[in-house]
Amino acid sequence: MTEPTDLAKLPGVIPYVDNHNGPRRLLTIDVPPVSMNAVRHYVPLTSIDGRQYVVSWGSVTFEIPADRNVHVSVHLQTNYASGLTSTPFASIVLAPHPSPVRLATRFTNAEGALLPVG
């Protein structure tokens, strides 16, 4: 594991915990509630390079590598009613870039998407 960068020391930033010695940048993901029913019965899960994080509804910020591709995915999971189920997931591979990036999730009945904001 590498030492935290200055980015990881910012309040509310989830540090990149896998081995990486290169430059890093910030990734903010907006996970707006799709409905009040979703807020009551689902929990958002975000994966960064395969490492899964339980996150809250709203915006969450991660520190990610800036000098290589990074795989990001988001899905909703529930154990309400008939058991453990997952929704369709939203997934994207971010290309290397030095600037911060912001993504927003969009879930429909059958699909999910992660879209750039701004």
Side-chain angles (χ1 to χ4, degrees):
M1 195 178 331
T2 58
E3 291 296 316
T5 66
D6 289 339
L7 294 176
K9 295 176 185 175
L10 294 173
V13 173
I14 298 170
Y16 190 77
V17 295
D18 290 327
N19 190 20
H20 179 262
N21 293 320
R24 299 178 187 204
R25 64 181 171 152
L26 293 178
L27 163 66
T28 301
I29 302 174
D30 298 324
V31 187
V34 291
S35 70
M36 284 310 295
N37 197 33
V39 171
R40 284 190 300 266
H41 301 296
Y42 289 86
V43 61
L45 298 171
T46 298
S47 295
I48 305 294
D49 285 340
R51 187 174 295 265
Q52 196 169 69
Y53 300 87
V54 177
V55 297
S56 60
W57 294 99
S59 296
V60 62
T61 302
F62 296 90
E63 174 191 52
I64 63 170
D67 60 346
R68 65 170 181 75
N69 288 344
V70 175
H71 178 251
V72 179
S73 67
V74 178
H75 72 275
L76 307 177
Q77 186 169 317
T78 187
N79 61 359
Y80 178 74
S82 63
L84 187 65
T85 59
S86 293
T87 64
F89 65 92
S91 180
I92 191 169
V93 175
L94 298 174
H97 198 276
S99 298
V101 64
R102 185 176 205 110
L103 303 172
T105 59
R106 182 180 304 162
F107 291 103
T108 64
N109 290 338
E111 303 180 345
L114 275 166
L115 306 168
V117 175

